[in-house]
Amino acid sequence: MENNMLNQHPADIAEQLSGLDVKSRNIAFYMLSNDEKVEVFSYFDPAIQQEIVKSLTDKDLAEVLNNLDPDDRTELLENFPDELIKHFINLLNPEERTIALNLIGYKEDSIARLMTPNYVQVKENYTVKQVLHHIKKYGKKAETLNYIFIVDGKNRLIDDLKIGEILLADEETKMEELIDHNFVSLTTVTPIEDAFEVFEKYDRSTIPIVTENGVLVGIVTFDDILDRMKMRDTEDIQKFGGMEELDVSYTKTPILELIKKRAGWLVILFVGEMFTASAMSYYDDEIAKAIVLALFVPLIISSGGNSGSQAASLIIRAMALGELKLKDWWYVMKKEFTSGLILGGILGIVGFIRIAIWQKLGIYDYGEYWMYIAITVALSLIAIVLWGTLSGSLVPFILRRIGFDPATASSPFVATLVDVSGLIIYFTISAAILSGKLL
């Protein structure tokens, strides 16, 4: 294994080691050089990182932790109990210990938790020649050299320059001649969700992080944001399927844990569906008098649930991309009202035609008042699809307003809600149209 890993990229080595059993993986990792340990370690999944950390001696662990990128180290430390975090912090040298404590002190959802203090900064009175010398001296530990950050005497960020601008300038040119004070930055308290939009809007690979007073304290690179976006989207997809998000990947989740994550929502949805049965029993008399009404119950409630799930999917994704804010709820309602009405009308026409064709061709006899049944089904589809569309689009706004993740408005949740209310709408319309005829 050791020979096979020579001259391989750290990500490939991590992939190979991940396929081994725990004992073999720990031994193979231990045989790597100190530099390789640090590089390979950052490519492991969090669960494997924790296993390896527990297998290392304090000396080897200190070597890894002290040389690990601060943002990767912060993510690792977050997954351990407080007493272990304290032990790990004590293994760091004074400089790295200060960095780690500062990062851990920020709120969990703040962009500061992803930042690294490893970057190149220079003063505005530096010449290009001095900057290049500075880069050669301190650039080895930098997370990226794509941007060089310009600060004033109080370490406040005043601009950033692409490395290309510096390389193409005359070596006696000062930074103050190249800067235009037009830069993009994030404050340490900016929520990670908001940072996604900034990266996308300005098409940046790196964004500096400053305090509320403008002091430069770190940078965040796009690869860190991309990792967090992947985690967020995975959680949203899992929640949208009507379950809790998984802590690790599907293939690494034990069967009992998988059942635990899914059972809660299934029970809640099952209880919700019980109200569907209750609604059906409430209309026993109407169904007994006109058994034909029961034929269309699956058609009616599934159409409402499908339209609600479609609307919820669109709104939740738009929220995740930052296209919709809480204040946009009325705009969405107006748009979805029109959409729901038209979609319901389309299904209503299809439903009416279907009943008429079946009746005329003798495929099924809906009785003397088949026309009224067709009208009932058509109007019910319009009303229920409209209601499903409005419900599916409004529920994510309500959840966000009260502080919950909009992704919780999963397809099963919206479908269950519309199932129960759809039955009430269907039988109410049936009673109004068929009263005195079939009922």
Side-chain angles (χ1 to χ4, degrees):
M1 173 63 73
E2 186 177 356
N3 291 334
N4 291 338
M5 292 189 295
L6 290 176
N7 301 319
Q8 288 192 39
H9 190 278
D12 295 323
I13 298 176
E15 185 178 7
Q16 287 187 39
L17 296 185
S18 297
L20 302 176
D21 60 80
V22 175
K23 184 178 179 181
S24 300
R25 179 171 58 238
N26 291 343
I27 292 174
F29 182 80
Y30 189 79
M31 297 298 293
L32 298 173
S33 68
N34 288 336
D35 288 342
E36 287 175 327
K37 283 189 178 78
V38 175
E39 292 178 351
V40 171
F41 186 84
S42 63
Y43 287 97
F44 284 126
D45 289 339
I48 294 179
Q49 286 181 337
Q50 292 182 47
E51 290 174 356
I52 289 177
V53 162
K54 292 174 182 177
S55 72
L56 295 176
T57 64
D58 281 355
K59 180 181 178 182
D60 290 321
L61 180 56
E63 181 70 28
V64 171
L65 291 176
N66 276 299
N67 290 283
L68 203 60
D69 284 343
D71 52 334
D72 291 332
R73 183 173 58 212
T74 301
E75 185 175 356
L76 173 67
L77 294 178
E78 286 176 352
N79 295 317
F80 283 97
D82 291 343
E83 60 270 16
L84 281 180
I85 293 178
K86 182 179 179 180
H87 175 66
F88 294 158
I89 292 294
N90 289 333
L91 294 176
L92 299 174
N93 61 46
E95 181 184 356
E96 294 298 328
R97 185 183 303 131
T98 300
I99 293 171
L101 290 172
N102 285 338
L103 290 179
I104 292 174
Y106 289 110
K107 289 184 179 180
E108 188 173 353
D109 66 340
S110 68
I111 191 64
R113 297 300 285 266
L114 299 183
M115 73 179 182
T116 175
N118 295 333
Y119 54 89
V120 175
Q121 69 174 45
V122 296
K123 298 290 190 349
E124 58 184 325
N125 60 350
Y126 275 37
T127 64
V128 168
K129 184 178 181 179
Q130 289 174 312
V131 170
L132 294 177
H133 176 73
H134 188 79
I135 292 173
K136 289 179 181 179
K137 186 175 182 180
Y138 298 105
K140 193 171 183 180
K141 287 192 67 176
E143 180 88 0
T144 176
L145 292 175
N146 290 341
Y147 287 89
I148 306 300
F149 302 93
I150 319 299
V151 297
D152 64 13
K154 295 183 178 179
N155 209 52
R156 288 177 300 204
L157 181 65
I158 56 178
D159 209 346
D160 56 22
L161 292 172
K162 290 182 179 179
I163 188 67
E165 297 178 71
I166 295 174
L167 293 174
L168 294 175
D170 184 82
E171 64 177 19
E172 296 304 321
T173 303
K174 290 187 175 183
M175 294 299 100
E176 58 190 2
E177 300 175 48
L178 298 177
I179 63 177
D180 59 7
H181 299 276
N182 182 20
F183 61 92
V184 178
S185 66
L186 296 167
T187 62
T188 53
V189 295
T190 300
I192 294 174
E193 288 279 341
D194 294 345
F196 296 160
E197 300 174 28
V198 178
F199 269 91
E200 184 178 47
K201 179 179 179 179
Y202 294 100
D203 194 24
R204 296 272 301 212
S205 62
T206 304
I207 291 183
I209 309 299
V210 299
T211 66
E212 293 181 346
N213 294 321
V215 175
L216 179 63
V217 290
I219 63 170
V220 171
T221 55
F222 184 70
D223 59 333
D224 294 323
I225 286 290
L226 199 60
D227 289 341
R228 190 55 66 99
M229 288 174 70
K230 179 181 176 182
M231 290 170 57
R232 179 203 64 181
D233 290 345
T234 300
E235 290 175 2
D236 285 352
I237 290 170
Q238 290 168 351
K239 287 179 180 178
F240 203 72
M243 60 178 287
E244 297 178 41
E245 68 273 17
L246 300 179
D247 299 321
V248 294
S249 68
Y250 175 84
T251 56
K252 292 183 173 62
T253 302
I255 184 66
L256 290 178
E257 183 68 15
L258 198 61
I259 292 171
K260 180 182 175 183
K261 293 288 186 180
R262 297 164 69 174
W265 266 108
L266 279 178
V267 171
I268 292 172
L269 295 170
F270 179 73
V271 172
E273 288 290 359
M274 286 181 178
F275 289 103
T276 303
S278 299
M280 288 281 288
S281 64
Y282 183 80
Y283 293 100
D284 273 348
D285 291 341
E286 286 79 1
I287 295 174
K289 294 175 184 176
I291 195 67
V292 70
L293 293 176
L295 297 176
F296 298 100
V297 168
L299 171 71
I300 297 292
I301 61 176
S302 65
S303 297
N306 291 339
S307 66
S309 298
Q310 281 185 341
S313 300
L314 292 171
I315 301 306
I316 290 171
R317 187 56 183 161
M319 283 182 164
L321 294 175
E323 298 171 1
L324 292 176
K325 307 292 184 183
L326 273 176
K327 61 182 178 64
D328 297 318
W329 72 273
W330 182 240
Y331 162 79
V332 171
M333 286 301 99
K334 290 188 293 183
K335 193 168 188 175
E336 289 303 314
F337 181 86
T338 303
S339 298
L341 205 57
I342 295 173
L343 291 170
I346 292 172
L347 294 186
I349 291 171
V350 172
F352 184 93
I353 293 174
R354 188 266 191 197
I355 293 173
I357 291 176
W358 258 241
Q359 180 69 30
K360 294 298 183 181
L361 295 179
I363 297 175
Y364 190 90
D365 183 10
Y366 293 104
E368 179 183 357
Y369 299 104
W370 69 269
M371 180 68 75
Y372 292 97
I373 293 173
I375 293 172
T376 298
V377 170
L379 292 178
S380 296
L381 282 169
I382 294 172
I384 292 171
V385 170
L386 175 59
W387 167 242
T389 302
L390 292 176
S391 299
S393 56
L394 185 59
V395 167
F397 283 100
I398 295 174
L399 290 173
R400 172 160 284 185
R401 182 66 183 85
I402 60 180
F404 287 98
D405 187 345
T408 309
S410 61
S411 294
F413 177 82
V414 172
T416 301
L417 171 67
V418 178
D419 282 355
V420 179
S421 52
L423 280 174
I424 297 173
I425 293 172
Y426 176 46
F427 285 111
T428 300
I429 292 175
S430 299
I433 294 177
L434 299 175
S435 180
K437 296 177 178 62
L438 297 180
L439 305 180

